[in-house]
Amino acid sequence: MDGGSAAELEAAERVVMRWDSSSAADEPMLFDGGGDRAEADRFLRAVDDLRRLAPASPAAVGSPRRLSSSGSSAGSGGAVQVAMARLEDEFRHVLSSRALDIEIEALADLTSLSIASDRSNSASSADLPLPAADEEENSVSSSIGRRSSAAYRSLRSIREIDLLPDDAVADLRAIASRMAAAGYGRECAQVYASVRKPAVDASLRRLGVERLSIGDVQRLEWDALEAKIRRWIRAARAAVRGAVKGAALQLFGFAEAISIGRRSPEKLFKIIDLHDALSDLLPDVADIFAASKAAESIYVQAVEIRSRLADAVRGILSEFENAVLREPHKAAVPGGTIHPLTRYVMNYSSLICDYKATLSELIVSRPSASARLAAEGNELAADLELPELENQSPLAAHIVWIIVVLEHNLEGKAALYKDLALSHLFMMNNIHHCAQVAATNYQRTSWLKILNCLRDEGLHVSGGFSSGISKSALRERFKSFNAAFEEAHRVQSGWCVPDNQLREELRISIAEKLLPAYRSFLGRFRHHIENGKHPELYIKYSVEDLEIAVGDFFEGVPPSPHNRRRSHG
């Protein structure tokens, strides 16, 4: 080493040794976030000079604080250890003293979730066991008529939360890079975990995520467990990005307990919510944990939990079908009115339709023969048949099967009436209720997307000189409506409803929703299109054109072409 380098090394050692953590009490911190950064920058340059000029030596093993205080601080090697001990203290100080005060509860507020309107506003929550036949109808209907006000659809993406200000992050990176370069990366990571783990644990507690064992979770009553699932979904969104391994194990341990818990029909939809939440978390879990061999098991565990939740969904659906089939015949409902079982099952079926997107992915097989014949000793069970329709999805087959086993059960309940005419009235009332609910489900699933095209949301722009309607968004909205309606017209004209009265009632119900919405939308926005180029490409239908087209529905034959009248012409 030449004289100049030796002088540089000696100067660097003097700077570092002035900040020996083992020899000073209550010394000021270099990285305290204050305005004067000169001393901190001088220390970092000295550390860099030590690394550059000191003779190469194997990295020491263990805490730099222990090594620097053990008498091995002579020479440049000792100065490096003193530097690492100081940087370890500074790293801990920045993490603990400069963290932002995050309102974690606000970040996880339910209002920030994407609430599924077709789940929360159109269907009631099926959250009770199957009702007994002799229950009072009013009490049952009021119990299962509660609205699902916080149905979960998708987290979309994890919100990234700034836990530290930018200048603190820069300081941490400067410290960590130098500790890693000196062979003290493990110690740096241990300091990070020791400081962040208590903070993450406290945040989880504030979000309502308790440290529960699998046994604790499985002993909870369903009402309490349902509330904890809702809180878990909220917490997961805010917690995953800040989680260390231990907190992640705690977070996913709850979902694991749900996935292997006792299955019962009332749990189906909350388990789907949990499955959807975990599916949305997985890309971020992969980013955080899968890149590290030490933490990769967290990602693997999350994937396995999602798979078990999917198995639970499939198992619960089959158990629900069997429960409907086996529901006992106790006492005839007075006057042959709608049975509580009918209301419950149709309510449950409506929710199945609302969760169609996820269930269509998870339900991959039709009801099995064993499920169809599950009721031992039931003489009529063996006679039940599941109609097989062309291009019928597995989920659709399960919905049909639910109606089949419900009708079979109702026939047994109808036999309780001594008056044969009252028995037939009972069946008529209940089948009619099934048809009404099915028609409502048809309207919601078939027409919600089309009617959403006729909403104002997303069309308005504001600010500067451009306040008003976005013509490009409006043109796209008309194109989307046209495409969606034409697809519905093409497909549903080929569907067949043999009963004239039912066919006409369905057409009227469609027209009553579609035509006023289109007339209003057209009245509000047509002039924006007509004042532009090629309006006929966007306003393809008048209200009368749509009314004529609806008349083709359910004829069982391909639609005939219509001479559409251009409302702009």
Side-chain angles (χ1 to χ4, degrees):
M1 180 184 299
D2 60 34
S5 297
E8 282 186 80
L9 179 59
E10 185 178 349
E13 289 174 353
R14 284 199 301 269
V15 171
V16 167
M17 297 307 291
R18 284 204 304 270
W19 294 93
D20 185 352
S21 298
S22 65
S23 60
D26 299 324
E27 74 275 6
M29 304 304 292
L30 286 163
F31 298 89
D32 61 359
D36 185 9
R37 285 293 308 267
E39 193 63 30
D41 291 338
R42 186 179 299 112
F43 186 85
L44 291 177
R45 287 195 299 272
V47 173
D48 292 338
D49 289 343
L50 283 177
R51 289 286 304 150
R52 178 171 55 88
L53 299 171
S57 61
V61 178
S63 167
R65 171 174 293 284
R66 290 196 302 271
L67 292 167
S68 66
S69 61
S70 63
S72 59
S73 58
S76 58
V80 169
Q81 292 162 11
V82 168
M84 293 302 108
R86 164 54 63 175
L87 289 179
E88 181 181 300
D89 287 344
E90 296 287 344
F91 195 80
R92 182 181 293 105
H93 172 73
V94 172
L95 279 174
S96 59
S97 68
R98 293 169 63 185
L100 297 173
D101 186 16
I102 301 295
E103 290 294 332
I104 195 78
E105 296 89 345
L107 290 171
D109 193 283
L110 272 177
T111 58
S112 65
L113 297 181
S114 173
I115 303 299
S117 60
D118 55 338
R119 290 184 187 180
S120 60
N121 298 326
S122 304
S124 303
S125 173
D127 57 359
L128 293 177
L130 290 175
D134 55 354
E135 287 183 79
E136 289 292 333
E137 179 184 337
N138 289 340
S139 64
V140 173
S141 61
S142 64
S143 295
I144 64 176
R146 298 200 296 268
R147 294 289 177 183
S148 177
S149 60
Y152 171 85
R153 167 160 288 180
S154 173
L155 295 175
R156 304 295 182 191
S157 64
I158 304 303
R159 289 182 62 181
E160 296 194 18
I161 304 164
D162 291 327
L163 299 175
L164 291 151
D166 291 342
D167 61 339
V169 173
D171 287 344
L172 290 173
R173 285 176 174 162
I175 296 169
S177 64
R178 287 163 174 85
M179 290 187 71
Y184 290 92
R186 179 184 295 274
E187 286 71 26
C188 183
Q190 288 172 345
V191 171
Y192 179 86
S194 69
V195 175
R196 288 299 307 149
K197 185 179 184 303
V200 172
D201 288 346
S203 295
L204 289 178
R205 286 193 299 272
R206 288 164 63 187
L207 290 169
V209 178
E210 306 168 54
R211 188 178 295 278
L212 299 172
S213 68
I214 290 178
D216 293 334
V217 172
Q218 295 180 349
R219 282 190 292 271
L220 288 172
E221 295 293 331
W222 173 242
D223 284 348
L225 190 56
E226 186 179 23
K228 290 185 184 300
I229 291 174
R230 286 197 299 268
R231 293 190 72 86
W232 188 94
I233 291 171
R234 294 168 60 189
R237 185 178 192 214
V240 162
R241 274 289 178 187
V244 290
K245 185 174 181 181
L249 288 171
Q250 176 187 345
L251 190 68
F252 294 126
F254 176 81
E256 181 178 22
I258 300 295
S259 72
I260 62 177
R262 185 179 65 85
R263 298 173 180 177
S264 54
E266 74 273 10
K267 296 180 180 180
L268 177 63
F269 304 106
K270 271 292 168 279
I271 288 180
I272 296 175
D273 286 344
L274 196 58
H275 173 276
D276 287 353
L278 192 54
S279 295
D280 279 350
L281 291 173
L282 280 180
D284 290 271
V285 174
D287 288 345
I288 298 164
F289 296 107
S292 165
K293 283 292 183 184
E296 186 180 15
S297 61
I298 299 293
Y299 175 72
V300 173
Q301 180 190 25
V303 172
E304 290 175 349
I305 292 170
R306 183 181 63 170
S307 178
R308 285 197 292 270
L309 288 169
D311 289 340
V313 168
R314 289 185 282 266
I316 288 173
L317 184 60
S318 293
E319 290 184 16
F320 172 73
E321 295 163 353
N322 291 337
V324 175
L325 188 62
R326 296 192 301 264
E327 213 268 341
H329 313 311
K330 294 184 178 178
V333 293
T337 188
I338 301 169
H339 197 281
L341 175 67
T342 305
R343 295 188 187 278
Y344 180 84
V345 172
M346 296 311 298
N347 178 58
Y348 203 92
S349 299
S350 296
L351 281 172
I352 288 175
C353 293
D354 291 337
Y355 281 79
K356 177 183 176 182
T358 299
L359 284 170
S360 295
E361 297 176 4
L362 300 185
I363 305 302
V364 294
S365 61
R366 294 164 58 84
S368 64
S370 60
R372 300 182 205 174
L373 306 177
E376 294 183 6
N378 192 324
E379 296 178 0
L380 294 179
D383 297 330
L384 294 178
E385 293 184 2
L386 175 62
E388 295 193 16
L389 303 177
E390 187 178 357
N391 298 325
Q392 186 183 55
S393 70
L395 177 60
H398 278 271
I399 294 174
V400 171
W401 178 243
I402 289 169
I403 304 303
V404 169
V405 296
L406 172 62
E407 185 176 354
H408 166 74
N409 190 289
L410 290 173
E411 287 171 353
K413 288 174 169 46
L416 297 173
Y417 293 98
K418 296 179 180 179
D419 188 319
L420 186 58
L422 184 57
S423 174
H424 290 308
L425 179 68
F426 169 80
M427 289 299 297
M428 182 171 63
N429 283 334
N430 283 271
I431 297 301
H432 182 255
H433 178 74
C434 292
Q436 283 184 317
V437 174
T440 301
N441 290 343
Y442 153 76
Q443 291 172 4
R444 189 166 66 247
T445 56
S446 291
W447 292 96
L448 183 63
K449 177 182 177 182
I450 297 174
L451 293 173
N452 280 343
C453 294
L454 304 177
R455 299 170 64 186
D456 290 9
E457 283 81 358
L459 297 179
H460 297 274
V461 294
S462 60
F465 297 100
S466 60
S467 297
I469 299 298
S470 168
K471 291 187 178 180
S472 61
L474 184 60
R475 287 192 291 267
E476 287 301 315
R477 189 67 63 83
F478 270 106
K479 287 172 65 175
S480 297
F481 171 81
N482 295 335
F485 179 78
E486 286 163 8
E487 175 66 9
H489 181 243
R490 182 187 67 80
V491 172
Q492 297 189 35
S493 294
W495 294 354
C496 183
V497 178
D499 183 82
N500 291 335
Q501 182 177 350
L502 177 59
R503 184 168 63 246
E504 193 58 29
E505 287 177 355
L506 283 173
R507 289 171 177 169
I508 291 172
S509 71
I510 293 170
E512 286 177 344
K513 289 178 172 59
L514 175 65
L515 301 185
Y518 186 72
R519 181 181 293 110
S520 175
F521 190 80
L522 201 60
R524 294 195 307 277
F525 300 117
R526 65 183 300 169
H527 65 280
H528 293 285
I529 299 296
E530 290 176 335
N531 292 335
K533 296 179 179 180
H534 306 295
E536 71 279 0
L537 296 178
Y538 308 105
I539 304 178
K540 298 175 67 174
Y541 299 100
S542 68
V543 175
E544 292 76 14
D545 292 333
L546 295 184
E547 187 174 14
I548 293 170
V550 169
D552 292 335
F553 282 42
F554 316 121
E555 288 289 348
V557 294
S560 58
H562 291 287
N563 294 320
R564 296 190 296 269
R565 293 187 305 216
R566 306 286 191 236
S567 57
H568 52 77

